Amino acid sequence: MKKIVFALFAFLAVQLSMAQDKQNTAALQPKEIAATEMEALLKVVKLDDNLKTSFTQLFIMRAEQVQSATDESTKKAIYERYGSKLLSGLNDEQRQALKANTELYQKLIFYKG
């Protein structure tokens, strides 16, 4: 009987540990996405520190909202909203540099399910 209780306890402990690990990775994922997107943007467009901070926050918020969205149309709307915010934060020269890199432009502005 003690072995059964011990086995049940060990099983529950492992399940709890796995659930916590899953929550920790989900919490980090938007920051990782934002860091990757910011790194790609900085290769194409020069930004001052203020814009770097603002766009990083923008990318984090977008990633969090996209993760919590339930359907594709909502995710597309989120990308369009944040894409227009991103473009409005850039000056004409920066915007043209981003648009010249069509692959990055598509990735940052439009949702690809």
Side-chain angles (χ1 to χ4, degrees):
M1 184 67 176
K2 289 181 182 180
K3 289 181 181 180
I4 293 173
V5 172
F6 178 74
L8 182 60
F9 178 74
F11 175 76
L12 290 174
V14 168
Q15 292 298 322
L16 181 62
S17 175
M18 288 173 38
Q20 287 176 342
D21 288 343
K22 188 175 182 179
Q23 287 177 346
N24 289 342
T25 34
L28 294 177
Q29 193 173 11
K31 290 180 182 178
E32 292 170 357
I33 292 169
T36 320
E37 291 176 339
M38 180 54 70
E39 183 180 327
L41 181 62
L42 288 173
K43 289 180 182 177
V44 176
V45 178
K46 291 186 179 184
L47 301 173
D48 62 25
D49 289 338
N50 187 29
L51 277 178
K52 287 178 189 176
T53 303
S54 297
F55 285 164
T56 300
Q57 274 304 116
L58 190 77
F59 291 144
I60 290 171
M61 292 185 323
R62 180 179 69 186
E64 289 172 345
Q65 286 188 7
V66 166
Q67 281 184 344
S68 66
T70 55
D71 59 80
E72 296 297 310
S73 62
T74 305
K75 292 178 182 183
K76 184 178 178 181
I78 291 168
Y79 253 80
E80 288 177 5
R81 183 171 4 120
Y82 280 95
S84 66
K85 288 180 182 185
L86 172 68
L87 290 176
S88 68
L90 299 173
N91 63 34
D92 288 336
E93 183 181 317
Q94 293 167 325
R95 201 174 302 116
Q96 291 305 320
L98 177 59
K99 286 182 179 180
N101 187 330
T102 54
E103 183 180 334
L104 180 61
Y105 179 76
Q106 294 289 323
K107 179 183 176 190
L108 294 179
I109 305 301
F110 301 105
Y111 179 72
K112 299 177 189 174

